[in-house]
Amino acid sequence: MNLIEAGKLAYEYIIRDEEDNVTEILRALDGVDLQVGQGDFVAILGHNGSGKSTLARHLNALLTAEEGTLWIDGKDAMDAGNAWDIRKSTGMVFQNPDNQIVAGVVEEDVAFGPENLGIPPIEILKRVAKSLHAVGMSEYRRHSPNRLSGGQKQRVAIAGVMAMEPKCIVLDEPTAMLDPSGRKEVLDAAERLNREKGVTVILITHYMEEAVRAGRVFVMDQGKVVMQGTPREVFSQVEELRGYRLDVPPMARLAHELRKEGLRLPEGILTRQELVEALCRLS
Amino acid sequence: MATLLYLLSLFLFRNAAGVAAATLWLFFLVRLSKVPFRYMVRGLRAIVMILALTAAFHLFLTPGETLVVIGKLTVTKEGAQNAFFLSIRLIYLILGSSVLTLTTTPNQLADGMEKALRPLQKLHVPVHEISMMMSIALRFIPILIEEMDKIRKAQLARGADFESGNLWKRVKAMVPLLIPLFVSAFRRANDLALAMEARCYRGGAGRTKMRPLRYRKADHAAYLVTAAYFAAAILLR
């Protein structure tokens, strides 16, 4: 069985006015099917309001779907009683680095999760050291998070989730508030965890360049999964992506435009390196 | 705790014996904390102005037996005494509290508070929640200050005027500053609650600590010594 199995998942936001009358029903998730295996690196793409963050919150049992099935690590997420168990299996990193760090010292924040799980102190110390090392933040363990850069704060947040030793971490637009170098730091850390520790990573983002790193990409639009496949498969369909108000990575787009102009370039070019090699082969 | 008692004791002494006791005690604490003295003195720089001002006021404006007359200003015996004690008090106040803040992280402080207030739990006082709120509040102070500064600049850029007018006008000018700040604080609180829940936080029950606060003999002894000092301060008054 896969780590995450979702079938026909649906969730509605009900917007009420002051008198509690329903004014609008937003179907944020509309029949989502999703399978993620242990150790995968998956990206979920979508523009604002496509339902990707809502989906993320289901994976962490912060929201419970109204219809469909959702199994996480063998536990039924439709049953609200399993919420705490599910949160142990899937950790979550949020968008705003400041609003998810609880403690005033880096190591105390990383310890917050394991402390909540009731893990003995010696084990907590070990886990804190290990997870800070895994994201390359060991030397900052006694610093105040207020003095760290955005990328560093997000890495601390990842360490805080890792210290709970989940099987899967969900990163909900972790780089949206960061500068390019901070973005790279965070993605490198997530990729390393996936490669070296075998942790399943689900990256939710609207940056196409970030999704290129994933093994598999899901594209969401209006609460549905509309495309899925390897980054190469998905990003070669430039026109379709544009229909979902998404932009393909710059090099894939350049290759696409060149192909339209009559150059015989192969499909599925994603990086600058690949484009250069393909162009050299032409002449 | 000890710090609080120490600060209280500062306001008790009125004579030289009290000053001597407070000095000794502070010296003892500083040595014990192993914080470099230079580091602590640096904290004093911030209050030099206030110190000079209050000392000057007390020196010149306290009525009583005249000591020296400089032009129109009269220095009285009581004034000199007051100025001296007040400066000492202020300096020791800062030094004493910096011993606490330089040796203890906010979380340790909250832990200590939680422990000290534990007996109140029997009266259904939510001790754990209070100390959690304390440590979160401490963590968000600098963030909110930064945010306040940002909002201020944003409003200034839109032509807001915070500096002119009478007091009432200035207070009213603060409204467009405070409302966005509150809104954003609530939003942050919401996010943080979600993040804490995602990390399995569900109140104090069943939680462990990375570095549990265990009182050893030395800590109990410290309580005793502090109590003794406080008693002495009252007696020497």
Side-chain angles (χ1 to χ4, degrees), chain A residues 98-101 103 107-109 115-116 119 146, chain B residues 105 107 139 142 188 191-192 199 207-208 210-211:
Chain A
D98 281 323
N99 295 358
Q100 56 182 319
I101 293 179
E107 60 169 3
E108 284 174 5
D109 184 72
E115 283 177 349
N116 288 336
I119 286 158
N146 292 327
Chain B
T105 70
N107 264 36
R139 149 134 178 76
R188 280 179 193 282
D191 279 4
L192 186 71
R199 282 210 259 162
R207 270 193 109 217
T208 47
M210 173 168 65
R211 295 207 171 83

mmCIF file with all atom_site columns, all heavy atoms in Angstrom, chain A residues 98-101 103 107-109 115-116 119 146, chain B residues 105 107 139 142 188 191-192 199 207-208 210-211:
data_model
loop_
_atom_site.group_PDB
_atom_site.id
_atom_site.type_symbol
_atom_site.label_atom_id
_atom_site.label_alt_id
_atom_site.label_comp_id
_atom_site.label_asym_id
_atom_site.label_entity_id
_atom_site.label_seq_id
_atom_site.pdbx_PDB_ins_code
_atom_site.Cartn_x
_atom_site.Cartn_y
_atom_site.Cartn_z
_atom_site.occupancy
_atom_site.B_iso_or_equiv
_atom_site.pdbx_formal_charge
_atom_site.auth_seq_id
_atom_site.auth_comp_id
_atom_site.auth_asym_id
_atom_site.auth_atom_id
_atom_site.pdbx_PDB_model_num
ATOM 1   N N   . ASP A 1 98  ? 8.245  33.035 10.182 1.00 0.00 ? 98  ASP A N   1
ATOM 2   C CA  . ASP A 1 98  ? 8.118  33.612 11.520 1.00 0.00 ? 98  ASP A CA  1
ATOM 3   C C   . ASP A 1 98  ? 6.962  33.014 12.298 1.00 0.00 ? 98  ASP A C   1
ATOM 4   O O   . ASP A 1 98  ? 7.027  32.882 13.516 1.00 0.00 ? 98  ASP A O   1
ATOM 5   C CB  . ASP A 1 98  ? 7.908  35.123 11.429 1.00 0.00 ? 98  ASP A CB  1
ATOM 6   C CG  . ASP A 1 98  ? 9.216  35.828 11.186 1.00 0.00 ? 98  ASP A CG  1
ATOM 7   O OD1 . ASP A 1 98  ? 10.220 35.369 11.742 1.00 0.00 ? 98  ASP A OD1 1
ATOM 8   O OD2 . ASP A 1 98  ? 9.230  36.818 10.454 1.00 0.00 ? 98  ASP A OD2 1
ATOM 9   N N   . ASN A 1 99  ? 5.890  32.683 11.586 1.00 0.00 ? 99  ASN A N   1
ATOM 10  C CA  . ASN A 1 99  ? 4.686  32.260 12.293 1.00 0.00 ? 99  ASN A CA  1
ATOM 11  C C   . ASN A 1 99  ? 4.647  30.783 12.634 1.00 0.00 ? 99  ASN A C   1
ATOM 12  O O   . ASN A 1 99  ? 3.619  30.287 13.051 1.00 0.00 ? 99  ASN A O   1
ATOM 13  C CB  . ASN A 1 99  ? 3.450  32.592 11.460 1.00 0.00 ? 99  ASN A CB  1
ATOM 14  C CG  . ASN A 1 99  ? 3.281  34.077 11.303 1.00 0.00 ? 99  ASN A CG  1
ATOM 15  O OD1 . ASN A 1 99  ? 4.065  34.853 11.841 1.00 0.00 ? 99  ASN A OD1 1
ATOM 16  N ND2 . ASN A 1 99  ? 2.288  34.481 10.564 1.00 0.00 ? 99  ASN A ND2 1
ATOM 17  N N   . GLN A 1 100 ? 5.735  30.069 12.411 1.00 0.00 ? 100 GLN A N   1
ATOM 18  C CA  . GLN A 1 100 ? 5.705  28.663 12.801 1.00 0.00 ? 100 GLN A CA  1
ATOM 19  C C   . GLN A 1 100 ? 6.825  28.292 13.748 1.00 0.00 ? 100 GLN A C   1
ATOM 20  O O   . GLN A 1 100 ? 6.958  27.144 14.133 1.00 0.00 ? 100 GLN A O   1
ATOM 21  C CB  . GLN A 1 100 ? 5.722  27.754 11.584 1.00 0.00 ? 100 GLN A CB  1
ATOM 22  C CG  . GLN A 1 100 ? 6.899  27.989 10.661 1.00 0.00 ? 100 GLN A CG  1
ATOM 23  C CD  . GLN A 1 100 ? 6.827  27.093 9.453  1.00 0.00 ? 100 GLN A CD  1
ATOM 24  O OE1 . GLN A 1 100 ? 6.490  25.937 9.577  1.00 0.00 ? 100 GLN A OE1 1
ATOM 25  N NE2 . GLN A 1 100 ? 7.137  27.630 8.288  1.00 0.00 ? 100 GLN A NE2 1
ATOM 26  N N   . ILE A 1 101 ? 7.630  29.278 14.119 1.00 0.00 ? 101 ILE A N   1
ATOM 27  C CA  . ILE A 1 101 ? 8.674  28.994 15.097 1.00 0.00 ? 101 ILE A CA  1
ATOM 28  C C   . ILE A 1 101 ? 8.158  29.407 16.468 1.00 0.00 ? 101 ILE A C   1
ATOM 29  O O   . ILE A 1 101 ? 7.771  30.544 16.675 1.00 0.00 ? 101 ILE A O   1
ATOM 30  C CB  . ILE A 1 101 ? 9.981  29.707 14.714 1.00 0.00 ? 101 ILE A CB  1
ATOM 31  C CG1 . ILE A 1 101 ? 10.504 29.063 13.434 1.00 0.00 ? 101 ILE A CG1 1
ATOM 32  C CG2 . ILE A 1 101 ? 10.993 29.617 15.826 1.00 0.00 ? 101 ILE A CG2 1
ATOM 33  C CD1 . ILE A 1 101 ? 11.771 29.656 12.902 1.00 0.00 ? 101 ILE A CD1 1
ATOM 34  N N   . ALA A 1 103 ? 9.585  28.732 19.758 1.00 0.00 ? 103 ALA A N   1
ATOM 35  C CA  . ALA A 1 103 ? 10.465 29.061 20.873 1.00 0.00 ? 103 ALA A CA  1
ATOM 36  C C   . ALA A 1 103 ? 11.451 30.158 20.504 1.00 0.00 ? 103 ALA A C   1
ATOM 37  O O   . ALA A 1 103 ? 11.621 30.496 19.340 1.00 0.00 ? 103 ALA A O   1
ATOM 38  C CB  . ALA A 1 103 ? 11.213 27.811 21.317 1.00 0.00 ? 103 ALA A CB  1
ATOM 39  N N   . GLU A 1 107 ? 17.314 25.534 19.140 1.00 0.00 ? 107 GLU A N   1
ATOM 40  C CA  . GLU A 1 107 ? 17.205 24.128 19.536 1.00 0.00 ? 107 GLU A CA  1
ATOM 41  C C   . GLU A 1 107 ? 15.927 23.863 20.331 1.00 0.00 ? 107 GLU A C   1
ATOM 42  O O   . GLU A 1 107 ? 15.361 22.782 20.248 1.00 0.00 ? 107 GLU A O   1
ATOM 43  C CB  . GLU A 1 107 ? 18.438 23.675 20.326 1.00 0.00 ? 107 GLU A CB  1
ATOM 44  C CG  . GLU A 1 107 ? 18.673 24.445 21.597 1.00 0.00 ? 107 GLU A CG  1
ATOM 45  C CD  . GLU A 1 107 ? 19.738 23.774 22.463 1.00 0.00 ? 107 GLU A CD  1
ATOM 46  O OE1 . GLU A 1 107 ? 20.304 22.769 22.022 1.00 0.00 ? 107 GLU A OE1 1
ATOM 47  O OE2 . GLU A 1 107 ? 19.970 24.259 23.580 1.00 0.00 ? 107 GLU A OE2 1
ATOM 48  N N   . GLU A 1 108 ? 15.460 24.862 21.070 1.00 0.00 ? 108 GLU A N   1
ATOM 49  C CA  . GLU A 1 108 ? 14.222 24.650 21.822 1.00 0.00 ? 108 GLU A CA  1
ATOM 50  C C   . GLU A 1 108 ? 13.036 24.538 20.879 1.00 0.00 ? 108 GLU A C   1
ATOM 51  O O   . GLU A 1 108 ? 12.079 23.818 21.148 1.00 0.00 ? 108 GLU A O   1
ATOM 52  C CB  . GLU A 1 108 ? 14.010 25.788 22.826 1.00 0.00 ? 108 GLU A CB  1
ATOM 53  C CG  . GLU A 1 108 ? 14.918 25.638 24.034 1.00 0.00 ? 108 GLU A CG  1
ATOM 54  C CD  . GLU A 1 108 ? 14.832 26.821 24.988 1.00 0.00 ? 108 GLU A CD  1
ATOM 55  O OE1 . GLU A 1 108 ? 14.007 27.716 24.772 1.00 0.00 ? 108 GLU A OE1 1
ATOM 56  O OE2 . GLU A 1 108 ? 15.624 26.823 25.942 1.00 0.00 ? 108 GLU A OE2 1
ATOM 57  N N   . ASP A 1 109 ? 13.118 25.254 19.764 1.00 0.00 ? 109 ASP A N   1
ATOM 58  C CA  . ASP A 1 109 ? 12.034 25.141 18.799 1.00 0.00 ? 109 ASP A CA  1
ATOM 59  C C   . ASP A 1 109 ? 12.024 23.772 18.139 1.00 0.00 ? 109 ASP A C   1
ATOM 60  O O   . ASP A 1 109 ? 10.979 23.168 17.961 1.00 0.00 ? 109 ASP A O   1
ATOM 61  C CB  . ASP A 1 109 ? 12.155 26.224 17.721 1.00 0.00 ? 109 ASP A CB  1
ATOM 62  C CG  . ASP A 1 109 ? 10.983 26.156 16.774 1.00 0.00 ? 109 ASP A CG  1
ATOM 63  O OD1 . ASP A 1 109 ? 9.890  26.529 17.219 1.00 0.00 ? 109 ASP A OD1 1
ATOM 64  O OD2 . ASP A 1 109 ? 11.147 25.685 15.645 1.00 0.00 ? 109 ASP A OD2 1
ATOM 65  N N   . GLU A 1 115 ? 8.841  17.094 22.160 1.00 0.00 ? 115 GLU A N   1
ATOM 66  C CA  . GLU A 1 115 ? 8.337  17.324 23.523 1.00 0.00 ? 115 GLU A CA  1
ATOM 67  C C   . GLU A 1 115 ? 6.840  17.054 23.573 1.00 0.00 ? 115 GLU A C   1
ATOM 68  O O   . GLU A 1 115 ? 6.334  16.460 24.522 1.00 0.00 ? 115 GLU A O   1
ATOM 69  C CB  . GLU A 1 115 ? 8.611  18.762 23.968 1.00 0.00 ? 115 GLU A CB  1
ATOM 70  C CG  . GLU A 1 115 ? 10.051 19.013 24.387 1.00 0.00 ? 115 GLU A CG  1
ATOM 71  C CD  . GLU A 1 115 ? 10.318 20.466 24.761 1.00 0.00 ? 115 GLU A CD  1
ATOM 72  O OE1 . GLU A 1 115 ? 9.459  21.328 24.496 1.00 0.00 ? 115 GLU A OE1 1
ATOM 73  O OE2 . GLU A 1 115 ? 11.396 20.726 25.318 1.00 0.00 ? 115 GLU A OE2 1
ATOM 74  N N   . ASN A 1 116 ? 6.138  17.483 22.520 1.00 0.00 ? 116 ASN A N   1
ATOM 75  C CA  . ASN A 1 116 ? 4.700  17.254 22.482 1.00 0.00 ? 116 ASN A CA  1
ATOM 76  C C   . ASN A 1 116 ? 4.362  15.777 22.389 1.00 0.00 ? 116 ASN A C   1
ATOM 77  O O   . ASN A 1 116 ? 3.297  15.349 22.817 1.00 0.00 ? 116 ASN A O   1
ATOM 78  C CB  . ASN A 1 116 ? 4.085  17.971 21.275 1.00 0.00 ? 116 ASN A CB  1
ATOM 79  C CG  . ASN A 1 116 ? 4.055  19.461 21.466 1.00 0.00 ? 116 ASN A CG  1
ATOM 80  O OD1 . ASN A 1 116 ? 4.066  19.940 22.595 1.00 0.00 ? 116 ASN A OD1 1
ATOM 81  N ND2 . ASN A 1 116 ? 4.023  20.193 20.380 1.00 0.00 ? 116 ASN A ND2 1
ATOM 82  N N   . ILE A 1 119 ? 8.427  12.319 24.273 1.00 0.00 ? 119 ILE A N   1
ATOM 83  C CA  . ILE A 1 119 ? 9.634  11.513 24.111 1.00 0.00 ? 119 ILE A CA  1
ATOM 84  C C   . ILE A 1 119 ? 10.607 11.821 25.249 1.00 0.00 ? 119 ILE A C   1
ATOM 85  O O   . ILE A 1 119 ? 10.703 12.968 25.680 1.00 0.00 ? 119 ILE A O   1
ATOM 86  C CB  . ILE A 1 119 ? 10.241 11.808 22.728 1.00 0.00 ? 119 ILE A CB  1
ATOM 87  C CG1 . ILE A 1 119 ? 9.356  11.131 21.686 1.00 0.00 ? 119 ILE A CG1 1
ATOM 88  C CG2 . ILE A 1 119 ? 11.665 11.336 22.605 1.00 0.00 ? 119 ILE A CG2 1
ATOM 89  C CD1 . ILE A 1 119 ? 9.457  11.679 20.340 1.00 0.00 ? 119 ILE A CD1 1
ATOM 90  N N   . ASN A 1 146 ? 15.139 35.049 15.604 1.00 0.00 ? 146 ASN A N   1
ATOM 91  C CA  . ASN A 1 146 ? 14.897 36.390 15.064 1.00 0.00 ? 146 ASN A CA  1
ATOM 92  C C   . ASN A 1 146 ? 16.067 36.913 14.251 1.00 0.00 ? 146 ASN A C   1
ATOM 93  O O   . ASN A 1 146 ? 15.907 37.776 13.418 1.00 0.00 ? 146 ASN A O   1
ATOM 94  C CB  . ASN A 1 146 ? 14.621 37.377 16.195 1.00 0.00 ? 146 ASN A CB  1
ATOM 95  C CG  . ASN A 1 146 ? 13.315 37.071 16.866 1.00 0.00 ? 146 ASN A CG  1
ATOM 96  O OD1 . ASN A 1 146 ? 12.392 36.623 16.225 1.00 0.00 ? 146 ASN A OD1 1
ATOM 97  N ND2 . ASN A 1 146 ? 13.250 37.282 18.165 1.00 0.00 ? 146 ASN A ND2 1
ATOM 98  N N   . THR B 2 105 ? 17.450 31.508 29.165 1.00 0.00 ? 105 THR B N   1
ATOM 99  C CA  . THR B 2 105 ? 16.675 31.698 27.944 1.00 0.00 ? 105 THR B CA  1
ATOM 100 C C   . THR B 2 105 ? 15.214 31.892 28.325 1.00 0.00 ? 105 THR B C   1
ATOM 101 O O   . THR B 2 105 ? 14.791 31.436 29.382 1.00 0.00 ? 105 THR B O   1
ATOM 102 C CB  . THR B 2 105 ? 16.778 30.480 27.011 1.00 0.00 ? 105 THR B CB  1
ATOM 103 O OG1 . THR B 2 105 ? 16.074 29.398 27.611 1.00 0.00 ? 105 THR B OG1 1
ATOM 104 C CG2 . THR B 2 105 ? 18.203 30.082 26.760 1.00 0.00 ? 105 THR B CG2 1
ATOM 105 N N   . ASN B 2 107 ? 12.655 30.418 27.383 1.00 0.00 ? 107 ASN B N   1
ATOM 106 C CA  . ASN B 2 107 ? 11.965 29.158 27.659 1.00 0.00 ? 107 ASN B CA  1
ATOM 107 C C   . ASN B 2 107 ? 12.275 28.614 29.043 1.00 0.00 ? 107 ASN B C   1
ATOM 108 O O   . ASN B 2 107 ? 11.399 28.100 29.724 1.00 0.00 ? 107 ASN B O   1
ATOM 109 C CB  . ASN B 2 107 ? 12.342 28.123 26.609 1.00 0.00 ? 107 ASN B CB  1
ATOM 110 C CG  . ASN B 2 107 ? 11.319 28.053 25.508 1.00 0.00 ? 107 ASN B CG  1
ATOM 111 O OD1 . ASN B 2 107 ? 10.756 29.086 25.144 1.00 0.00 ? 107 ASN B OD1 1
ATOM 112 N ND2 . ASN B 2 107 ? 11.064 26.877 25.013 1.00 0.00 ? 107 ASN B ND2 1
ATOM 113 N N   . ARG B 2 139 ? 8.753  35.693 22.376 1.00 0.00 ? 139 ARG B N   1
ATOM 114 C CA  . ARG B 2 139 ? 9.328  35.429 21.063 1.00 0.00 ? 139 ARG B CA  1
ATOM 115 C C   . ARG B 2 139 ? 8.796  36.418 20.024 1.00 0.00 ? 139 ARG B C   1
ATOM 116 O O   . ARG B 2 139 ? 9.500  36.814 19.123 1.00 0.00 ? 139 ARG B O   1
ATOM 117 C CB  . ARG B 2 139 ? 9.002  34.010 20.653 1.00 0.00 ? 139 ARG B CB  1
ATOM 118 C CG  . ARG B 2 139 ? 8.843  33.808 19.201 1.00 0.00 ? 139 ARG B CG  1
ATOM 119 C CD  . ARG B 2 139 ? 9.547  32.614 18.638 1.00 0.00 ? 139 ARG B CD  1
ATOM 120 N NE  . ARG B 2 139 ? 9.263  32.538 17.227 1.00 0.00 ? 139 ARG B NE  1
ATOM 121 C CZ  . ARG B 2 139 ? 9.825  33.312 16.317 1.00 0.00 ? 139 ARG B CZ  1
ATOM 122 N NH1 . ARG B 2 139 ? 10.727 34.180 16.677 1.00 0.00 ? 139 ARG B NH1 1
ATOM 123 N NH2 . ARG B 2 139 ? 9.495  33.214 15.066 1.00 0.00 ? 139 ARG B NH2 1
ATOM 124 N N   . PRO B 2 142 ? 9.971  41.055 19.341 1.00 0.00 ? 142 PRO B N   1
ATOM 125 C CA  . PRO B 2 142 ? 10.781 41.693 18.289 1.00 0.00 ? 142 PRO B CA  1
ATOM 126 C C   . PRO B 2 142 ? 10.115 41.663 16.913 1.00 0.00 ? 142 PRO B C   1
ATOM 127 O O   . PRO B 2 142 ? 10.247 42.609 16.143 1.00 0.00 ? 142 PRO B O   1
ATOM 128 C CB  . PRO B 2 142 ? 12.074 40.879 18.288 1.00 0.00 ? 142 PRO B CB  1
ATOM 129 C CG  . PRO B 2 142 ? 11.814 39.666 19.085 1.00 0.00 ? 142 PRO B CG  1
ATOM 130 C CD  . PRO B 2 142 ? 10.665 39.944 19.986 1.00 0.00 ? 142 PRO B CD  1
ATOM 131 N N   . ARG B 2 188 ? -1.122 36.222 12.600 1.00 0.00 ? 188 ARG B N   1
ATOM 132 C CA  . ARG B 2 188 ? 0.032  35.437 13.037 1.00 0.00 ? 188 ARG B CA  1
ATOM 133 C C   . ARG B 2 188 ? -0.364 34.399 14.068 1.00 0.00 ? 188 ARG B C   1
ATOM 134 O O   . ARG B 2 188 ? 0.078  33.253 14.044 1.00 0.00 ? 188 ARG B O   1
ATOM 135 C CB  . ARG B 2 188 ? 1.088  36.353 13.654 1.00 0.00 ? 188 ARG B CB  1
ATOM 136 C CG  . ARG B 2 188 ? 1.932  37.054 12.646 1.00 0.00 ? 188 ARG B CG  1
ATOM 137 C CD  . ARG B 2 188 ? 2.930  37.964 13.346 1.00 0.00 ? 188 ARG B CD  1
ATOM 138 N NE  . ARG B 2 188 ? 3.546  38.871 12.414 1.00 0.00 ? 188 ARG B NE  1
ATOM 139 C CZ  . ARG B 2 188 ? 4.518  38.520 11.587 1.00 0.00 ? 188 ARG B CZ  1
ATOM 140 N NH1 . ARG B 2 188 ? 4.964  37.300 11.576 1.00 0.00 ? 188 ARG B NH1 1
ATOM 141 N NH2 . ARG B 2 188 ? 5.020  39.401 10.752 1.00 0.00 ? 188 ARG B NH2 1
ATOM 142 N N   . ASP B 2 191 ? -1.955 31.473 12.372 1.00 0.00 ? 191 ASP B N   1
ATOM 143 C CA  . ASP B 2 191 ? -0.948 30.638 11.714 1.00 0.00 ? 191 ASP B CA  1
ATOM 144 C C   . ASP B 2 191 ? -0.184 29.804 12.730 1.00 0.00 ? 191 ASP B C   1
ATOM 145 O O   . ASP B 2 191 ? 0.056  28.624 12.527 1.00 0.00 ? 191 ASP B O   1
ATOM 146 C CB  . ASP B 2 191 ? 0.072  31.524 10.974 1.00 0.00 ? 191 ASP B CB  1
ATOM 147 C CG  . ASP B 2 191 ? -0.447 31.967 9.628  1.00 0.00 ? 191 ASP B CG  1
ATOM 148 O OD1 . ASP B 2 191 ? -1.607 31.653 9.332  1.00 0.00 ? 191 ASP B OD1 1
ATOM 149 O OD2 . ASP B 2 191 ? 0.319  32.615 8.890  1.00 0.00 ? 191 ASP B OD2 1
ATOM 150 N N   . LEU B 2 192 ? 0.205  30.481 13.807 1.00 0.00 ? 192 LEU B N   1
ATOM 151 C CA  . LEU B 2 192 ? 1.031  29.802 14.805 1.00 0.00 ? 192 LEU B CA  1
ATOM 152 C C   . LEU B 2 192 ? 0.248  28.663 15.449 1.00 0.00 ? 192 LEU B C   1
ATOM 153 O O   . LEU B 2 192 ? 0.777  27.569 15.669 1.00 0.00 ? 192 LEU B O   1
ATOM 154 C CB  . LEU B 2 192 ? 1.481  30.792 15.877 1.00 0.00 ? 192 LEU B CB  1
ATOM 155 C CG  . LEU B 2 192 ? 2.463  30.215 16.877 1.00 0.00 ? 192 LEU B CG  1
ATOM 156 C CD1 . LEU B 2 192 ? 3.812  29.989 16.231 1.00 0.00 ? 192 LEU B CD1 1
ATOM 157 C CD2 . LEU B 2 192 ? 2.616  31.118 18.085 1.00 0.00 ? 192 LEU B CD2 1
ATOM 158 N N   . ARG B 2 199 ? 2.283  20.229 14.753 1.00 0.00 ? 199 ARG B N   1
ATOM 159 C CA  . ARG B 2 199 ? 3.392  19.564 15.427 1.00 0.00 ? 199 ARG B CA  1
ATOM 160 C C   . ARG B 2 199 ? 2.910  18.867 16.707 1.00 0.00 ? 199 ARG B C   1
ATOM 161 O O   . ARG B 2 199 ? 3.650  18.702 17.664 1.00 0.00 ? 199 ARG B O   1
ATOM 162 C CB  . ARG B 2 199 ? 4.500  20.570 15.736 1.00 0.00 ? 199 ARG B CB  1
ATOM 163 C CG  . ARG B 2 199 ? 5.304  20.867 14.486 1.00 0.00 ? 199 ARG B CG  1
ATOM 164 C CD  . ARG B 2 199 ? 6.716  21.201 14.831 1.00 0.00 ? 199 ARG B CD  1
ATOM 165 N NE  . ARG B 2 199 ? 6.969  22.626 14.801 1.00 0.00 ? 199 ARG B NE  1
ATOM 166 C CZ  . ARG B 2 199 ? 8.002  23.184 15.388 1.00 0.00 ? 199 ARG B CZ  1
ATOM 167 N NH1 . ARG B 2 199 ? 8.848  22.466 16.087 1.00 0.00 ? 199 ARG B NH1 1
ATOM 168 N NH2 . ARG B 2 199 ? 8.180  24.474 15.314 1.00 0.00 ? 199 ARG B NH2 1
ATOM 169 N N   . ARG B 2 207 ? 3.365  16.000 27.924 1.00 0.00 ? 207 ARG B N   1
ATOM 170 C CA  . ARG B 2 207 ? 4.544  16.607 27.311 1.00 0.00 ? 207 ARG B CA  1
ATOM 171 C C   . ARG B 2 207 ? 5.781  16.250 28.101 1.00 0.00 ? 207 ARG B C   1
ATOM 172 O O   . ARG B 2 207 ? 5.740  16.122 29.311 1.00 0.00 ? 207 ARG B O   1
ATOM 173 C CB  . ARG B 2 207 ? 4.405  18.134 27.300 1.00 0.00 ? 207 ARG B CB  1
ATOM 174 C CG  . ARG B 2 207 ? 3.751  18.668 26.071 1.00 0.00 ? 207 ARG B CG  1
ATOM 175 C CD  . ARG B 2 207 ? 3.944  20.160 25.997 1.00 0.00 ? 207 ARG B CD  1
ATOM 176 N NE  . ARG B 2 207 ? 4.883  20.468 24.939 1.00 0.00 ? 207 ARG B NE  1
ATOM 177 C CZ  . ARG B 2 207 ? 5.772  21.425 25.006 1.00 0.00 ? 207 ARG B CZ  1
ATOM 178 N NH1 . ARG B 2 207 ? 5.905  22.150 26.066 1.00 0.00 ? 207 ARG B NH1 1
ATOM 179 N NH2 . ARG B 2 207 ? 6.572  21.642 24.000 1.00 0.00 ? 207 ARG B NH2 1
ATOM 180 N N   . THR B 2 208 ? 6.904  16.138 27.400 1.00 0.00 ? 208 THR B N   1
ATOM 181 C CA  . THR B 2 208 ? 8.174  15.994 28.106 1.00 0.00 ? 208 THR B CA  1
ATOM 182 C C   . THR B 2 208 ? 9.004  17.222 27.807 1.00 0.00 ? 208 THR B C   1
ATOM 183 O O   . THR B 2 208 ? 8.604  18.069 27.023 1.00 0.00 ? 208 THR B O   1
ATOM 184 C CB  . THR B 2 208 ? 8.930  14.746 27.627 1.00 0.00 ? 208 THR B CB  1
ATOM 185 O OG1 . THR B 2 208 ? 8.919  14.733 26.210 1.00 0.00 ? 208 THR B OG1 1
ATOM 186 C CG2 . THR B 2 208 ? 8.304  13.494 28.175 1.00 0.00 ? 208 THR B CG2 1
ATOM 187 N N   . MET B 2 210 ? 12.977 18.722 26.766 1.00 0.00 ? 210 MET B N   1
ATOM 188 C CA  . MET B 2 210 ? 14.306 18.364 26.314 1.00 0.00 ? 210 MET B CA  1
ATOM 189 C C   . MET B 2 210 ? 15.289 18.477 27.469 1.00 0.00 ? 210 MET B C   1
ATOM 190 O O   . MET B 2 210 ? 16.110 17.611 27.690 1.00 0.00 ? 210 MET B O   1
ATOM 191 C CB  . MET B 2 210 ? 14.748 19.287 25.184 1.00 0.00 ? 210 MET B CB  1
ATOM 192 C CG  . MET B 2 210 ? 16.187 19.092 24.774 1.00 0.00 ? 210 MET B CG  1
ATOM 193 S SD  . MET B 2 210 ? 16.612 19.924 23.256 1.00 0.00 ? 210 MET B SD  1
ATOM 194 C CE  . MET B 2 210 ? 16.422 21.634 23.696 1.00 0.00 ? 210 MET B CE  1
ATOM 195 N N   . ARG B 2 211 ? 15.217 19.577 28.197 1.00 0.00 ? 211 ARG B N   1
ATOM 196 C CA  . ARG B 2 211 ? 16.088 19.746 29.362 1.00 0.00 ? 211 ARG B CA  1
ATOM 197 C C   . ARG B 2 211 ? 15.198 19.967 30.563 1.00 0.00 ? 211 ARG B C   1
ATOM 198 O O   . ARG B 2 211 ? 14.913 21.098 30.928 1.00 0.00 ? 211 ARG B O   1
ATOM 199 C CB  . ARG B 2 211 ? 17.010 20.954 29.171 1.00 0.00 ? 211 ARG B CB  1
ATOM 200 C CG  . ARG B 2 211 ? 17.966 20.768 28.044 1.00 0.00 ? 211 ARG B CG  1
ATOM 201 C CD  . ARG B 2 211 ? 19.231 21.582 28.264 1.00 0.00 ? 211 ARG B CD  1
ATOM 202 N NE  . ARG B 2 211 ? 20.212 21.203 27.260 1.00 0.00 ? 211 ARG B NE  1
ATOM 203 C CZ  . ARG B 2 211 ? 20.253 21.695 26.033 1.00 0.00 ? 211 ARG B CZ  1
ATOM 204 N NH1 . ARG B 2 211 ? 19.385 22.602 25.674 1.00 0.00 ? 211 ARG B NH1 1
ATOM 205 N NH2 . ARG B 2 211 ? 21.164 21.301 25.189 1.00 0.00 ? 211 ARG B NH2 1
#
